[in-house]
Amino acid sequence: MSISLAPFAPGGPAAMDATLAQRLLGHALCRGGDHADLYFEYRTSASYVFEEGRVKTVGGGVSLGLGVRVLHGSATGYAYCEELTEEAMIAAARTAAQIARSGASPPPERIEPRALPSFYPLQTPSVAAPPEAKLDLLRRADAAARAFDRRIIKVECSFAEEIREILIVSSEGYMSCDVQPLIRFGVHVIAEEGGRRQGGSGGGGGRYGMEYFDAHPPEEHGREAARVATAMLHAWEAPAGEMEVVLAPGDSGILLHEAVGHGLEADFNRKRTSNYTDRIGQQVASPLCTVVDDGTIGHSRGSINVDDEGHPGQVNVLIEAGVLRGYMQDWLSARHFKTAPSGNGRRQSFRHNPLPRMTNTYLRPGPHDPEEIVRSVRRGVYARRFSGGQVNISNGDFVFSLTESYLIEDGRLTAPLKGVNLIGNGPQVLTRVTMLGNDFQLSDGIWTCGKDGQSVPVGVGTPTVKIAAITVGGTKA
Amino acid sequence: MYDQREELCRIAQEVAARAVAAGADEVEVVAQAGAELSVEVRLGQPELIHEAGARGLGLRLFEGRRTAVTYTSDFREEALRDFIATSVALCRLSEPDELNQLPARHELAREPLPELELWDERAFTVDAAGALERAQAAEAAALSWSPKITNSDGASYSRVYRSSAFVSADRSGICFCGTSRGTYQSLVVKPLCDDADGKKRNGSYWTADRFLDRLLSPEEVGRRAAERTVRKLGAEKIATAEMPVVFDPDAGRALLGLLFSVVSGGAIYRQASYLCGREGSQVASPLVSVVDDPLILRGPGSRAFDGDGLPSRRNVVVEAGVLRCYLLDTYSARKLGRASNGCASRSVGGLPHPSPSNFILQPGPTDPARIVGEVERGLYVTELMGYGFNPVTGDFSRGAAGFLIERGELTRPVSEVTVSANFDDLLQRIDAVGNDLDRRSSMMVPTLRVARMTVAGR
């Protein structure tokens, strides 16, 4: 992408060059420390909300700043500033420096730009497209949702977009920069019939420009939201207790994200607080399961050309045929484990220090025909859409919440079920994967992961999955 | 030196005047500045010192009943000029809505605003070194409490302070200008122990207050955290059954948050709440009364005026189980054809929306020990997990952990179960309310008992 609006980009009013970066790193290391980095970020965002047949509001904003980090052993000093004057940047560097207590460390002698991959090339970012085009998308989604079924009484559509420009300078002597576009389209509807109401939602996006909508027209998202709301209008009480569960392909990847993903982030393993600590090389899942974290998928919401510590996004096999192969590393934990960073050091913004985080986490497809999987279940639950999940890293217990699910009886989907939560234990559930479909899908760009108060966009994916036993939290005991 | 109210007020007034001059009919400006200090220690060693100041300016403007909301952190002259011009241009993209206008002048808060004592000068006596000492002392107290505590997810101390100014203006000048400032600090400890089956068990305890001297001592926080961790050793699933469920205040807080989401004006006008049309009817057990009270001195959620500039007021939401009112901001009130009851909150970058201040489920007469003591067999829930709540239908299903109650005693730890019921039934079935109101956060709740829920496990 050619455009750059960031003040710290070459030619900008606060252009960063190697000499100034060296000087700032010198301040950051003025009390010692083993590593320091500078993280410049310029983010422009806009949002459009369409409600009750009109454009309700538009919004937007700009944030700009520099985060400075100094590492001293396993301790982190962090500070940031929102003005890119030399005085403010030096003050931030010297605040971050207070973590160290030894003599000054030298800044790098040379700083070289790092060559990076390009996983989301764009001709035109959406922020540069005319706003009217976005309003038109919202109107089309609204009309499609209303036209889908007469029982749809409320529709709200939204479009959010951002461009995040980052520049990372490390005391290891490299400089990385990236421009990260992100769009997210969403539709929420309410259906009503005979005094009963039900909600439904649809949406998608990723690191795309407006061409996203060529393959995913807004009508599709509007109809999907309407389909869910009407399908769930007359849902039955869900069963309670352990039973067989079949997960639909795509968004079910949340289960992986929660059940194993977080537990394989290296910080928890460095601190020995994860259930997967010391288990590399061991069988932790059914041999059907190969779990991958992959920051390189073209245009996916979780993809990154470079992580927020300056390392290229890459493909990391976490579990191979059930055997634990490795953790997701940031700089700090990689040094602890004496391995290389894996391109997983991410942060929410310049106000936050990096942590090991997932990018796009998925389960590779297996040998089974999805229809055969459903046919194999005598009584169970088919889980199709989700509102989110959560995990307790230490004991591995995780939940995820279903917003569209069906009872399976004698190999067929029968009644729609009321919203229900599934709870399981990560290491245990993956050993209970007994069938895996050949129908892999990646989620369509809607998920955001929260950890330690920081949110980052992620992707998930799975084929159809059968779990032999997991607790379904219905009301019908 | 930490009080930036005057400067923010000046900037906000200036931006408001310039936005009107640039073509807006009416504007609202929120300007905020403050700083955070947070530190973490783990196994006695510093893990993190994070210290920085931040500021932001948010603009909501109206022109011909169209509206836009924008924000920036760049206060430089030329940046503000571009920001105002862009905001006016964005506004012209939205479509007119009769309801898009400032509250009427007579509705706005007036001087003198109530003094709510939200600022503690003593907060600043704790610097990074002092914060590390407190976190270290708390973690050490946890680690030494029992040999069963084998590891630590760390202890952290954090302190934030913030000043803000809110200005609304129209073509005739400034309509309202209010300022506020507040301090807040917290200390949390997270010990771990190893269970027999190779699982790890974690627990935590925290203290938080606007006033430094009202925090629990680090030693007390550490001791309670250790106690709460060790008692989870040996946790396992129980068999699926219906039973009484007791929620301790840490778990009950989440229920109160859900209640807010279904009495919020935004959910009501969107018909996205199962409580639509239920005002005046029984929505909870007669033991349940809930108020939203922004005027509590030193309260964590207190505010002198709301995010639309209206005066804060105490609202009785549920009185002896009867739903008395929804919580409204100006926009949702107008949508519903009534007056706002002053519940708007406004972040720098967002639209005002109804939000709780100090949202309180009033304590009852019963000692928490008795609430458990009366249960023959049930579940005592200390943690809830996940997002299993549908506000449109009230369907509620969440992950839970806690203890089995047998013959009035907590007998063994339980994990990996879910608790489910329709939320309407859940509130109606509350048959005991504790006298132990937890005032640490703005969602205040005592121990609660629900006569019957489905607990799903084995």
Side-chain angles (χ1 to χ4, degrees):
Chain A
M1 211 180 321
S2 56
I3 67 140
S4 180
L5 304 165
F8 48 79
M16 184 53 42
D17 60 34
T19 323
L20 178 53
Q22 268 170 323
R23 204 153 62 232
L24 291 173
L25 287 170
H27 286 287
L29 294 168
C30 67
R31 299 178 56 163
D34 332 303
H35 173 90
D37 51 35
L38 311 173
Y39 179 82
F40 294 88
E41 181 188 44
Y42 179 74
R43 189 191 298 240
T44 47
S45 61
S47 66
Y48 303 81
V49 178
F50 190 89
E51 188 177 272
E52 301 192 322
R54 66 178 146 222
V55 182
K56 185 187 175 194
T57 186
V58 293
V62 171
S63 75
L64 167 66
L66 161 67
V68 184
R69 174 174 70 155
V70 177
L71 295 180
H72 182 69
S74 66
T76 301
Y78 199 83
Y80 60 85
C81 60
E82 297 175 320
E83 274 177 290
L84 300 188
T85 60
E86 192 159 341
E87 185 192 358
M89 293 191 290
I90 290 172
R94 297 189 81 92
T95 305
Q98 66 179 327
I99 195 76
R101 293 285 154 99
S102 47
S105 307
E109 281 172 25
R110 293 175 61 80
I111 294 175
E112 300 289 348
R114 186 172 258 189
L116 293 169
S118 175
F119 302 128
Y120 29 84
L122 293 189
Q123 266 146 24
T124 316
S126 75
V127 292
E132 290 74 16
K134 298 156 198 169
L135 302 181
D136 184 52
L137 296 170
L138 297 170
R139 289 194 189 95
R140 285 166 57 192
D142 177 84
R146 289 178 193 279
F148 182 83
D149 193 301
R150 298 177 56 175
R151 293 171 292 176
I152 301 299
I153 57 163
K154 294 270 177 187
V155 181
E156 184 183 343
C157 311
S158 61
F159 179 72
E161 57 186 353
E162 69 171 40
I163 287 277
R164 181 192 198 206
E165 295 187 51
I166 56 174
L167 168 69
I168 304 128
V169 190
S170 160
S171 62
E172 310 308 307
Y174 60 84
M175 190 181 235
S176 305
C177 59
D178 195 18
V179 180
Q180 301 176 338
L182 193 64
I183 62 170
R184 191 182 190 287
F185 191 84
V187 184
H188 296 278
V189 308
I190 306 275
E192 186 179 53
E193 183 178 33
R196 266 175 197 252
R197 284 195 309 276
Q198 181 60 274
S201 60
R207 300 200 183 281
Y208 289 98
M210 299 297 278
E211 75 283 359
Y212 166 79
F213 295 97
D214 299 341
H216 306 271
E219 287 84 358
E220 218 173 75
H221 297 303
R223 282 194 289 265
E224 174 66 2
R227 184 195 63 75
V228 176
T230 49
M232 293 294 113
L233 253 177
H234 297 284
W236 296 16
E237 265 189 81
E242 273 190 1
M243 62 195 70
E244 288 183 314
V245 169
V246 177
L247 306 172
D251 290 330
S252 305
I254 295 177
L255 177 132
L256 276 184
H257 177 105
E258 302 298 349
V260 294
H262 280 295
L264 299 181
E265 290 166 340
D267 49 347
F268 300 119
N269 293 288
R270 171 175 69 82
K271 298 176 186 175
R272 310 181 65 79
T273 58
S274 164
N275 247 22
Y276 290 98
T277 303
D278 292 338
R279 297 192 63 186
I280 288 182
Q282 294 179 17
Q283 191 83 29
V284 297
S286 142
L288 286 172
C289 296
T290 291
V291 179
V292 180
D293 184 79
D294 181 352
T296 75
I297 303 171
H299 300 283
S300 180
R301 182 171 165 88
S303 294
I304 43 178
N305 292 329
V306 61
D307 75 1
D308 297 320
E309 299 180 312
H311 301 285
Q314 62 184 58
V315 182
N316 296 295
V317 176
L318 306 174
I319 295 174
E320 191 176 9
V323 177
L324 180 57
R325 290 296 178 211
Y327 304 129
M328 288 168 276
Q329 305 282 353
D330 64 356
W331 172 264
L332 177 60
S333 57
R335 211 173 37 174
H336 172 89
F337 285 104
K338 300 189 169 56
T339 180
S342 60
N344 291 96
R346 303 184 66 189
R347 46 182 135 193
Q348 178 177 318
S349 79
F350 68 88
R351 298 189 180 91
H352 301 87
N353 53 302
L355 296 170
R357 300 298 295 262
M358 284 173 260
T359 59
N360 306 294
T361 315
Y362 58 84
L363 190 55
R364 287 206 173 130
H368 300 104
D369 169 25
E371 284 179 25
E372 176 200 344
I373 296 177
V374 173
R375 271 202 307 273
S376 75
V377 176
R378 206 181 66 77
R379 186 170 180 278
V381 168
Y382 184 80
R384 182 150 175 192
R385 290 186 71 95
F386 313 86
S387 57
Q390 195 183 338
V391 63
N392 179 323
I393 303 293
S394 299
N395 62 29
D397 288 353
F398 71 92
V399 293
F400 72 137
S401 306
L402 313 186
T403 51
E404 184 188 1
S405 61
Y406 298 87
L407 196 62
I408 308 177
E409 292 170 300
D410 296 323
R412 287 177 34 246
L413 302 196
T414 55
L417 297 174
K418 288 184 174 177
V420 67
N421 217 68
L422 300 185
I423 188 160
N425 185 264
Q428 203 173 54
V429 155
L430 283 204
T431 61
R432 294 181 181 173
V433 171
T434 50
M435 293 176 92
L436 205 54
N438 52 17
D439 55 342
F440 178 82
Q441 276 183 31
L442 189 70
S443 60
D444 185 359
I446 56 170
W447 297 105
T448 297
C449 168
K451 171 177 169 181
D452 287 359
Q454 294 194 40
S455 296
V456 297
V458 295
V460 297
T462 54
T464 297
V465 182
K466 176 175 163 183
I467 296 167
I470 187 168
T471 299
V472 176
T475 42
K476 213 167 158 186
Chain B
M1 97 186 240
Y2 303 106
D3 186 354
Q4 294 161 284
R5 287 176 296 175
E6 265 180 44
E7 188 200 344
L8 292 170
C9 199
R10 186 185 57 71
I11 295 169
Q13 291 197 11
E14 188 190 312
V15 170
R18 288 169 61 176
V20 170
D25 300 325
E26 298 179 322
V27 298
E28 251 173 27
V29 183
V30 176
Q32 284 183 349
E36 56 172 327
L37 163 68
S38 63
V39 306
E40 283 173 31
V41 303
R42 195 176 150 267
L43 300 175
Q45 297 303 310
E47 276 265 315
L48 176 70
I49 300 177
H50 186 136
E51 197 169 6
R55 63 186 188 182
L57 184 137
L59 177 61
R60 177 162 74 131
L61 47 83
F62 301 100
E63 192 222 331
R65 300 286 189 262
R66 297 164 198 266
T67 185
V69 182
T70 53
Y71 67 91
T72 183
S73 62
D74 195 343
F75 287 21
R76 286 172 305 140
E77 169 55 31
E78 65 274 25
L80 283 178
R81 194 182 54 225
D82 289 351
F83 170 70
I84 291 166
T86 309
S87 304
V88 172
L90 271 181
C91 189
R92 292 179 181 149
L93 293 173
S94 80
E95 290 172 315
D97 175 347
E98 272 312 302
L99 308 183
N100 275 335
Q101 50 180 313
L102 289 180
R105 280 203 179 209
H106 71 266
E107 290 182 275
L108 294 169
R110 256 167 281 203
E111 298 285 347
L113 295 168
E115 172 47 56
L116 297 172
E117 298 179 20
L118 308 179
W119 182 266
D120 179 18
E121 286 292 338
R122 297 240 321 123
F124 306 105
T125 58
V126 179
D127 59 4
L132 284 171
E133 272 168 35
R134 281 162 194 259
Q136 278 160 335
E139 191 197 41
L143 291 170
S144 64
W145 189 78
S146 161
K148 290 178 180 160
I149 303 285
T150 47
N151 195 358
S152 168
D153 201 12
S156 54
Y157 183 94
S158 78
R159 179 241 291 153
V160 293
Y161 67 89
R162 182 187 287 166
S163 305
S164 69
F166 179 99
V167 167
S168 60
D170 61 17
R171 296 196 166 277
S172 63
I174 302 291
C175 305
F176 172 70
C177 174
T179 61
S180 61
R181 59 174 185 166
T183 52
Y184 196 70
Q185 45 257 305
S186 63
L187 173 63
V188 57
V189 186
K190 298 182 277 187
L192 256 93
C193 41
D194 284 293
D195 216 333
D197 56 1
K199 277 192 175 183
K200 297 174 195 298
R201 302 291 172 187
N202 58 339
S204 69
Y205 197 73
W206 54 280
T207 181
D209 206 282
R210 289 189 173 277
F211 281 73
L212 179 65
D213 292 344
R214 299 209 301 185
L215 291 182
L216 287 180
S217 76
E219 292 72 20
E220 179 72 13
V221 177
R223 191 182 61 71
R224 290 195 198 182
E227 214 171 344
R228 283 168 167 255
T229 306
V230 170
R231 68 180 184 172
K232 293 184 177 177
L233 284 168
E236 55 183 13
K237 270 190 202 190
I238 54 173
T240 302
E242 286 200 338
M243 61 182 79
V245 176
V246 178
F247 292 90
D248 87 350
D250 268 314
R253 189 176 302 116
L255 301 182
L256 197 59
L258 298 183
L259 176 63
F260 172 78
S261 74
V262 290
V263 299
S264 162
I268 302 302
Y269 88 74
R270 292 185 175 97
Q271 289 180 269
S273 164
Y274 79 91
L275 289 178
C276 285
R278 294 277 299 272
E279 270 173 312
S281 75
Q282 199 80 30
V283 300
S285 136
L287 300 175
V288 174
S289 290
V290 178
V291 300
D292 185 64
D293 189 353
L295 298 171
I296 296 174
L297 285 189
R298 303 188 172 198
S302 297
R303 57 190 176 214
F305 54 90
D306 86 343
D308 285 320
L310 269 56
S312 285
R313 56 184 252 194
R314 181 176 188 272
N315 288 300
V316 176
V317 180
V318 176
E319 187 178 13
V322 176
L323 179 61
R324 291 296 178 206
C325 71
Y326 300 123
L327 294 177
L328 307 172
D329 64 343
T330 297
Y331 187 82
S332 63
R334 287 175 178 162
K335 274 279 186 200
L336 295 167
R338 44 178 102 178
S340 168
N341 49 16
C343 295
S345 96
R346 164 90 203 262
S347 66
V348 164
L351 278 175
H353 55 94
S355 136
S357 59
N358 300 296
F359 197 57
I360 307 161
L361 197 153
Q362 302 281 23
T366 317
D367 191 74
R370 203 173 131 211
I371 292 179
V372 171
E374 290 168 349
V375 175
E376 182 53 32
R377 187 168 190 280
L379 184 67
Y380 182 80
V381 175
T382 55
E383 278 170 68
L384 286 174
M385 282 176 83
Y387 307 92
F389 179 60
N390 182 335
V392 182
T393 59
D395 295 328
F396 170 91
S397 166
R398 283 223 168 159
F403 300 87
L404 186 67
I405 310 173
E406 291 173 300
R407 288 176 297 282
E409 307 259 338
L410 304 186
T411 52
R412 55 195 169 94
V414 173
S415 69
E416 212 191 316
V417 296
T418 64
V419 291
S420 308
N422 186 276
F423 205 61
D424 201 7
D425 297 330
L426 185 156
L427 294 178
Q428 307 271 6
R429 290 178 191 163
I430 291 177
D431 67 352
V433 176
N435 57 11
D436 54 338
L437 187 69
D438 182 347
R439 294 183 168 83
R440 287 176 295 168
S441 92
S442 61
M443 289 277 168
M444 303 187 194
V445 66
T447 297
L448 300 173
R449 187 176 65 209
V450 179
R452 185 165 50 87
M453 293 183 78
T454 306
V455 178
R458 272 185 284 112

